[in-house]
Amino acid sequence: MNKTKHLIQTSSFSCDVSIMVPFPPNHLLSTVETTFALCPQFRILVVGNGGVGKSSLIASIFNVNKEDIDISDHRPGIADINREYTSDDNPHFILHDSQGFEPGSADHWKTVQDFILQKCKSSLPVKDRLHAIWMCIEAPHGGLRLTQTADEALIRLSGHFNIPVIFVLTKCDLLFNECYSKAARRLEPGADTSDLRTKALKDTASILDATIKELREQSDRILKILFWGPQLWKEHRQSDHIANRWIWRKPSQKGYVAVSTEKKFPDSLKTLTDLTITTRQCLRTTETLLPWAVAQRVDPKQKVLASIEEGFKKYWKDLGKSTAFQGHVLVDCLWCIHLDIIKVWNFRDPKKLLSANEFRLRMLELIRPLIPQCEADLSVNERFPVLEILGSIFDSIIPLASMAIEAASLTIVAISFLYSRYQAVPRFALCLEAYIVDLTLVLHELFVSTLNERQQPLNDELILAALERYKDTRSEHVHELVCLNIHSTLDALHTDKNKGNVGDLIRSQLGMDS
């Protein structure tokens, strides 16, 4: 066992205990890192003219500083599509920037075409391929058409290679302001202005819906002609037979989203969430699902679902009779789960506070009511030689008699239980499941509470506040539900039932559909 000592500070357990305890080395492989081995970063191409709002969009979706992603949003004509933009604040995405297609931009289209052809080669590893394209267009003040030949060529090329394309109508707040001004001018002097905002929102939505409908019809026509050929489509475009074959041979997914990065715009956060969801729905390869869920920092639901998906690849399965945890001490098992979950959430955490011992110990404090505090709390099958285990925990040069342990709080039995090797008994499953649910819900609370504080890194105050809110409002009830899931016999802890219990419990607590 590793002889390195870590101080368990008693403040985490609300007592005066001060004990030198070694955290065992973690020999459990991360399932998240295994998935990342195939594709650690989400690679996206953003196309749009200067001033369309690409920098603000990227900064908002991935929660990074615009200065870190210094794309040519206000310097038309100098975008380098081959350059890989990354950010130390969020290393899980790679951005390629392309200016939009102006009339007579044949040379630029050739550059974009060559880039896409290069990044879509089947011989490339998934991590090096292009995963999605955002076509950014400023929300219209009137009708909008894809009149540029290069726009149509990009749609055809993406359809041929099954690359998801999402049309992003940016700066919806400007359209809203225009609609608001028009509605205000139409009012009679002295008229009630209380419903101006509602009227402007309705008019804005109507214009955006019409624009998206037109974009959808144009891009569908382009792709149908691509797959059927101009003559066949012209002759049979009204045929049910053609329509049915079109459904059967549906090409790459396309999405249409109107967004605003302006915080004062009503439902700005909802528009950004819609973009993350639409992008996720359009993805074609399973290897890109986790990198996208991790990279985006807007939608907590995708974080939760990705955590559940990764968890049940290995470590969340069969908690009451886990072969993955066999031979490992309980705190090591909990630490493995902890690291995988926080990797998925990918907070802006430059100080690594979520992986620090202080936060880890505070999470252990949450499950302390479920940890046996005295030998009487243990069933016959769960009892183990306390002094023998403590002897393997503490360095032999530290006399056991010199350790200050207060029976009212973290007892010798509790410590030895946490540092005992995993056993296929309900008590271990109880602690593991409670830790999984607690950590997921605490991180969800933290994520939601920081959404309005964009680009603010995590600090101790934010984390502690989220922990306290969860502890005061939800933890006791959650632990009651966890206890109901853990039965006295291992027959109740088989994979399917366990998966439903843990996953459904998390989703139900967050109001998510199963």
Side-chain angles (χ1 to χ4, degrees):
M1 174 171 289
N2 188 350
K3 298 297 183 180
T4 303
K5 300 294 184 276
H6 302 267
L7 182 63
I8 288 189
Q9 298 180 352
T10 61
S11 59
S12 297
F13 294 94
S14 301
C15 68
D16 295 327
V17 183
S18 183
I19 308 171
M20 296 295 289
V21 179
F23 287 130
N26 193 352
H27 300 301
L28 296 164
L29 297 178
S30 165
T31 56
V32 172
E33 292 299 332
T34 300
T35 304
F36 276 157
L38 296 175
C39 186
Q41 295 167 299
F42 190 85
R43 187 181 299 271
I44 186 167
L45 169 63
V46 180
V47 180
N49 292 325
V52 77
K54 292 182 291 184
S55 295
S56 297
L57 181 64
I58 295 299
S60 297
I61 294 295
F62 299 109
N63 191 15
V64 295
N65 294 321
K66 287 198 290 185
E67 294 75 15
D68 293 343
I69 307 296
D70 187 26
I71 61 178
S72 59
D73 213 16
H74 298 286
R75 302 187 304 278
I78 65 172
D80 179 4
I81 195 171
N82 291 295
R83 178 178 172 182
E84 295 184 345
Y85 292 89
T86 58
S87 171
D88 292 338
D89 282 337
N90 187 348
H92 290 287
F93 76 97
I94 297 174
L95 169 69
H96 294 274
D97 175 35
S98 169
Q99 65 197 69
F101 305 115
E102 300 290 352
S105 59
D107 291 342
H108 176 54
W109 163 243
K110 179 67 165 55
T111 301
V112 174
Q113 177 180 255
D114 290 345
F115 171 80
I116 293 177
L117 290 174
Q118 175 65 31
K119 287 298 181 182
C120 292
K121 289 181 178 179
S122 58
S123 58
L124 284 178
V126 174
K127 66 183 181 67
D128 295 326
R129 298 178 196 170
L130 182 61
H131 303 142
I133 300 173
W134 284 350
M135 290 190 66
C136 296
I137 309 167
E138 187 170 336
H141 300 272
L144 175 70
R145 294 192 60 81
L146 295 172
T147 56
Q148 302 304 323
T149 302
D151 287 333
E152 298 190 0
L154 178 59
I155 294 172
R156 287 195 297 270
L157 190 62
S158 64
H160 180 77
F161 286 105
N162 271 333
I163 306 171
V165 176
I166 295 89
F167 293 87
V168 186
L169 301 180
T170 62
K171 298 188 175 181
C172 294
D173 49 287
L174 298 183
L175 178 60
F176 168 77
N177 292 340
E178 182 177 295
C179 290
Y180 188 94
S181 297
K182 288 181 178 179
R185 288 196 297 268
R186 289 195 295 265
L187 284 179
E188 296 291 336
D192 183 14
T193 61
S194 59
D195 63 343
L196 267 181
R197 181 175 179 274
T198 302
K199 178 69 168 67
L201 281 173
K202 183 177 179 181
D203 292 344
T204 302
S206 178
I207 293 173
L208 292 174
D209 288 345
T211 302
I212 287 175
K213 179 181 179 182
E214 187 174 357
L215 282 172
R216 191 188 304 273
E217 290 173 351
Q218 291 176 57
S219 60
D220 283 351
R221 174 184 57 80
I222 292 168
L223 286 173
K224 289 173 182 177
I225 292 174
L226 167 67
F227 276 80
W228 292 106
Q231 187 60 34
L232 181 61
W233 180 250
K234 179 178 179 182
E235 294 175 358
H236 302 287
R237 60 183 179 272
Q238 303 300 326
S239 167
D240 290 339
H241 173 63
I242 291 293
N244 289 337
R245 288 185 64 189
W246 162 246
I247 294 173
W248 177 63
R249 294 191 61 188
K250 189 174 182 179
S252 65
Q253 292 292 316
K254 301 183 303 304
Y256 307 84
V257 184
V259 303
S260 172
T261 60
E262 174 56 54
K263 292 182 179 180
K264 295 181 180 179
F265 176 70
D267 294 331
S268 172
L269 181 58
K270 181 182 182 303
T271 67
L272 296 173
T273 302
D274 289 342
L275 176 56
T276 67
I277 293 173
T278 299
T279 302
R280 164 64 177 80
Q281 292 171 341
C282 291
L283 298 181
R284 306 288 289 183
T285 55
T286 57
E287 294 89 347
T288 60
L289 297 180
L290 179 64
W292 172 249
V294 172
Q296 64 84 25
R297 285 172 167 171
V298 174
D299 184 17
K301 179 178 179 180
Q302 293 184 57
K303 305 285 190 184
V304 172
L305 296 178
S307 295
I308 294 173
E309 181 67 25
E310 289 300 304
F312 279 104
K313 287 181 179 179
K314 188 174 184 180
Y315 294 121
W316 295 20
K317 291 173 22 176
D318 294 330
L319 293 177
K321 55 182 183 118
S322 172
T323 56
F325 289 145
Q326 202 68 41
H328 295 276
V329 296
L330 180 57
V331 288
D332 209 5
C333 303
L334 294 172
W335 185 228
C336 174
I337 289 171
H338 183 109
L339 288 177
D340 266 358
I341 293 177
I342 65 173
K343 286 173 185 174
V344 172
W345 283 87
N346 185 31
F347 280 89
R348 190 168 182 173
D349 185 15
K351 295 181 180 180
K352 307 299 181 186
L353 298 176
L354 294 179
S355 56
N357 286 339
E358 181 177 355
F359 180 66
R360 178 186 179 185
L361 293 172
R362 290 188 181 278
M363 290 306 307
L364 286 177
E365 181 185 3
L366 282 179
I367 65 168
R368 184 163 58 91
L370 305 178
I371 299 174
Q373 298 294 310
C374 62
E375 195 166 338
D377 294 334
L378 302 173
S379 67
V380 174
N381 292 331
E382 294 172 331
R383 297 191 180 188
F384 37 78
V386 172
L387 292 179
E388 180 180 331
I389 292 175
L390 286 176
S392 68
I393 296 175
F394 299 106
D395 189 57
S396 59
I397 64 173
I398 303 177
L400 289 178
S402 68
M403 295 185 301
I405 298 179
E406 295 188 3
S409 187
L410 189 61
T411 64
I412 291 179
V413 170
I415 297 172
S416 60
F417 178 80
L418 286 170
Y419 282 85
S420 63
R421 297 196 179 276
Y422 171 86
Q423 299 179 44
V425 293
R427 180 76 70 175
F428 284 82
L430 180 66
C431 288
L432 288 166
E433 181 171 328
Y435 196 93
I436 289 170
V437 179
D438 281 347
L439 181 58
T440 302
L441 297 183
V442 166
L443 294 182
H444 184 276
E445 177 71 32
L446 180 61
F447 190 92
V448 171
S449 68
T450 57
L451 274 176
N452 292 325
E453 302 293 335
R454 307 298 293 170
Q455 303 190 8
Q456 177 182 347
L458 288 185
N459 56 52
D460 291 325
E461 290 74 20
L462 288 171
I463 295 173
L464 183 59
L467 275 164
E468 291 302 318
R469 283 194 299 271
Y470 174 73
K471 184 176 181 180
D472 293 342
T473 62
R474 186 176 285 179
S475 64
E476 185 175 349
H477 177 61
V478 167
H479 290 170
E480 290 175 357
L481 296 176
V482 169
C483 290
L484 291 176
N485 287 342
I486 305 300
H487 300 281
S488 59
T489 63
L490 297 181
D491 291 339
L493 298 170
H494 287 196
T495 302
D496 292 341
K497 185 175 182 61
N498 183 229
K499 181 173 183 177
N501 283 340
V502 179
D504 287 347
L505 177 53
I506 292 172
R507 285 187 288 262
S508 67
Q509 287 297 303
L510 297 176
M512 296 167 52
D513 295 332
S514 299

